[in-house]
Amino acid sequence: MTAIAPTILATCGGLVAGDWTDSRYGPLLQHAIELAQVVGRRPRVAHINTAGGDQRHVEGAELEAARLAGVEASHVRFFPHPNTPDLREHILAQDVVWVSGGSLLNLLAVWRAHGLDEILTEAWQRGVVLAGGSAGGLCWHEGGTTASRGPDISALADGLGLVPGSLAVHYDSDPRRRPAHQAAVASGELPGGYALEEGTGLVYQGWTLVDVVSEREGAAVWRVQGTDPGGRGGVTETRIEPRVLPGLTTAGPAQSPNTFTSPSPSTSPIEEARTPR
């Protein structure tokens, strides 16, 4: 646990397709490990798939990707019951906690029932890098827009609040996201914040945004702010050009969230199996 400050990496990314294996760690996940600044041993990464219901078939691909990356990986699961006798001890021993996508609403409910929200806050304060994609990026914020309640996109204003403001994900790949998020910010249901296109991420140290990154050329991050604090106005969007991480050189058009692939590297079949939330 050697991050220089409490660090969060909120993304629309994670595993990507491997050359001869199912999956490998993508540039955003690799960047989370770099932020932990581990020296002299293999990094320890705990994968948490609560938002997807702790599906076991996902874990094999993650473990294989971790092995290829030289990472000591583990899984924290809650279904049908916690898989570790001391959840706090296990989380505090990690360098990175990576949270995958699925239902943000269910993730928060299960974590709070087991006290993981408090454990993650302690880990963050102690230097464990908290990171993840989709629901795993939304959860750290004060709130965000989600498909957790059904096919429509709705606002959820009850995130963990470790970093300020709201977040939207899949901003370029799901046409429902932008108008729903803008409406929630314009009405005051959600505070202003950021929106992520596929393959992008936000790096926070404490409550401060310190870097905006991408694993594909041409992707953008958006600053989304209400124009009227009373909730009677609209929103303004400011495009932010991310810093492109090593390993990517090409861009591709955004597609629907169930078919999106970024051309190099392509989206992992495991990641596509998780319904974006």
Side-chain angles (χ1 to χ4, degrees):
M1 297 181 292
T2 54
I4 62 173
T7 301
I8 285 174
L9 173 59
T11 83
C12 270
L15 296 184
V16 298
D19 296 328
W20 56 277
T21 60
D22 288 337
S23 304
R24 60 185 175 90
Y25 280 8
L28 288 167
L29 210 164
Q30 291 279 10
H31 190 53
I33 297 169
E34 293 168 2
L35 290 169
Q37 299 187 17
V38 178
V39 177
R41 59 171 174 80
R42 294 197 299 165
R44 293 188 287 267
V45 177
H47 287 269
I48 303 184
N49 296 323
T50 315
D54 289 346
Q55 299 178 59
R56 298 298 194 274
H57 76 277
V58 173
E59 296 182 3
E62 289 172 334
L63 291 174
E64 182 179 46
R67 178 183 61 80
L68 291 173
V71 166
E72 181 182 323
S74 62
H75 285 88
V76 172
R77 66 176 84 100
F78 295 99
F79 296 95
H81 48 68
N83 67 325
T84 178
D86 192 326
L87 185 59
R88 177 178 177 273
E89 179 182 27
H90 183 74
I91 292 294
L92 293 181
Q94 304 306 307
D95 300 302
V96 175
V97 171
W98 183 270
V99 181
S100 295
S103 171
L104 174 64
L105 184 68
N106 293 348
L107 174 154
L108 291 169
V110 171
W111 284 6
R112 285 166 172 154
H114 289 273
L116 182 61
D117 55 334
E118 296 179 356
I119 293 170
L120 288 171
T121 299
E122 180 182 359
W124 172 67
Q125 293 168 338
R126 290 189 176 205
V128 178
V129 174
L130 305 183
S134 193
L138 290 165
C139 61
W140 318 116
H141 293 75
E142 294 178 81
T145 39
T146 173
S148 296
R149 298 184 178 96
D152 295 329
I153 307 300
S154 60
L156 191 156
D158 190 27
L160 297 182
L162 297 185
V163 293
S166 64
L167 185 69
V169 294
H170 311 302
Y171 215 53
D172 57 336
S173 62
D174 183 346
R176 304 170 300 166
R177 301 275 175 166
R178 195 176 218 125
H181 193 73
Q182 287 183 352
V185 172
S187 69
E189 189 174 6
L190 289 176
Y194 295 93
L196 299 177
E197 294 188 1
E198 300 292 347
T200 63
L202 304 169
V203 181
Y204 294 91
Q205 289 181 353
W207 264 44
T208 303
L209 181 68
V210 297
D211 202 5
V212 181
V213 296
S214 177
E215 60 182 20
R216 65 186 183 102
E217 298 274 7
V221 171
W222 298 86
R223 182 79 167 103
V224 184
Q225 297 173 290
T227 57
D228 180 358
R232 295 181 299 273
V235 297
T236 60
E237 284 191 344
T238 305
R239 182 184 174 97
I240 301 171
E241 298 296 334
R243 177 174 65 88
V244 179
L245 296 169
L248 270 287
T249 58
T250 60
Q255 302 170 31
S256 71
N258 291 329
T259 61
F260 176 82
T261 56
S262 44
S264 176
S266 58
T267 303
S268 161
I270 298 299
E271 289 299 307
E272 286 191 353
R274 299 189 180 101
T275 303
R277 300 291 182 182

